[in-house]
Amino acid sequence: MVDTNRDLYPSRTLHRVPMFDRLDPVVHGGAGDGPLDREQLHRYERDGFLFLPSFFGADAVEHFRGELQRLMSNPALGMEDGVITEPGSQEIRSVFAVHKRSRVFNHLCRHPFLLTAARQILGSDVYVHQSRINYKPGFEGKGFNWHSDFETWHTEDGMPYMRAVSCSIILTPNTEFNGPLMLIPGSHRHFVPCVGETPEDNYRTSLQKQDTGVPDRETLTKLVRQAGGIQAPKGEPGSVLFFDCNVLHGSNANMSPVPRSNVFFVYNSVANAPRRPYGASKPRPSFLSERSDVRPLAEAGTSEDR
Ligand code: 6CS
Ligand code: FE
């Protein structure tokens, strides 16, 4: 019998396993299948990300920032509800499941351009696997270690294939001073197995500081060399970044006085719904990993809109 739950990307291993080539396509659709043109699809396929500077205008950004403030002003919420503080501080680092907490962000994740671009890249209908606001407060906002999101979603959430795309909408300027996202172009074409078993309830610490599921330095060095350097897309609020689920990325602390915030949706193919976790004893809570509602998302403003 064919084992349909075969682990194509083993990680959290006892010993170091060399990186190997990705087994899944990066782009599933063609230029005629959605709003992204040939050149944009080519760049996404080559680099593992695509930056669209100033996609949303000032009014839209104000609207999103107001909603971010509203969501963050409920101090009663804690980790059980998907609100994560910075390590060693009470400042808010991330708020998860924002598309379920907020009509504004629910609407935004179904924005016709964003949604159809995600469908085009993944070649199928999609749903939201995870959503979050990363707030990154001034002075207090700590960084994120190098990681592939897919490595975590595969081992801890049971996402079988690399067929998900993240979309980050930046709500503050991204500068060299406030800890912008850094990516290693081309790293999405390799899977880097990471050493170390997943601790029980790893998410309770990993969302503040990720220690498990971090690639070894030798491999990172090789990939950065191959890429010809690290890139950090900078830009104005309203800029949009699409990035592949397996591209290696991280960020530094925010040493500036002002926050560096973004809202972030992970679109997953409906053909890639989570199974049993491949490298953890039980799945993570639904605010981190949607498992029950994997129905296709409908564009905002259509008859299926709620
Ligand atoms: O846990 C998650 O789903 C995401 N957050 C972190 C800090 N690392 C993996 C992934 O990006
Ligand atoms: Fe990440």
Side-chain angles (χ1 to χ4, degrees), residues 136-152:
K136 229 183 219 204
F139 300 124
E140 293 284 343
K142 303 291 180 295
F144 287 85
N145 273 338
W146 288 113
H147 65 278
S148 143
D149 294 333
F150 175 77
E151 196 277 343
T152 293

Side-chain angles (χ1 to χ4, degrees), residues 1 4 31 42 48-49 79 86-87 105 107 121-122 135 140 152 179 183 186 199 203 230 233 257 261 280 286:
M1 209 172 81
T4 51
H42 170 72
F49 61 91
M79 178 180 272
E86 290 290 346
F105 291 138
H107 209 259
I121 290 168
L122 302 178
Y135 182 60
E140 293 284 343
T152 293
L183 307 111
Y203 72 94
I230 295 166
S261 308
S286 61

Side-chain angles (χ1 to χ4, degrees), residues 225-237:
R225 195 179 304 132
Q226 260 180 33
I230 295 166
Q231 286 188 24
K234 291 181 205 146
E236 293 306 311

Side-chain angles (χ1 to χ4, degrees), residues 105-134:
F105 291 138
N106 182 279
H107 209 259
L108 180 57
C109 79
R110 294 180 296 109
H111 184 282
F113 179 91
L114 303 182
L115 184 54
T116 51
R119 285 187 194 141
Q120 183 180 18
I121 290 168
L122 302 178
S124 70
D125 270 318
V126 301
Y127 70 96
V128 173
H129 172 73
Q130 181 190 94
S131 74
R132 68 202 283 180
I133 289 168
N134 283 329

Side-chain angles (χ1 to χ4, degrees), residues 152-166:
T152 293
W153 300 337
H154 182 70
T155 53
E156 299 192 27
D157 300 336
M159 183 185 282
Y161 309 110
M162 293 179 186
R163 197 170 175 185
V165 54
S166 294

Side-chain angles (χ1 to χ4, degrees), residues 11-17 193-197 211-216:
S11 189
R12 316 279 165 115
T13 52
L14 218 48
H15 303 286
R16 192 171 158 234
V17 176
C194 301
V195 177
E197 239 193 317
D211 293 318
T212 308
V214 175
D216 65 278

Side-chain angles (χ1 to χ4, degrees), residues 31-59:
D33 299 329
L36 302 176
D37 64 26
R38 267 165 76 94
E39 212 258 310
Q40 290 173 317
L41 288 174
H42 170 72
R43 272 180 15 225
Y44 181 89
E45 180 149 48
R46 182 193 63 194
D47 299 337
F49 61 91
L50 179 69
F51 188 59
L52 306 173
S54 301
F55 179 83
F56 287 104
D59 289 352

Side-chain angles (χ1 to χ4, degrees), residues 161-184:
Y161 309 110
M162 293 179 186
R163 197 170 175 185
V165 54
S166 294
C167 175
S168 170
I169 299 131
I170 65 171
L171 300 180
T172 54
N174 253 13
T175 68
E176 60 268 54
F177 309 116
N178 63 5
L181 190 76
M182 303 184 289
L183 307 111
I184 306 180

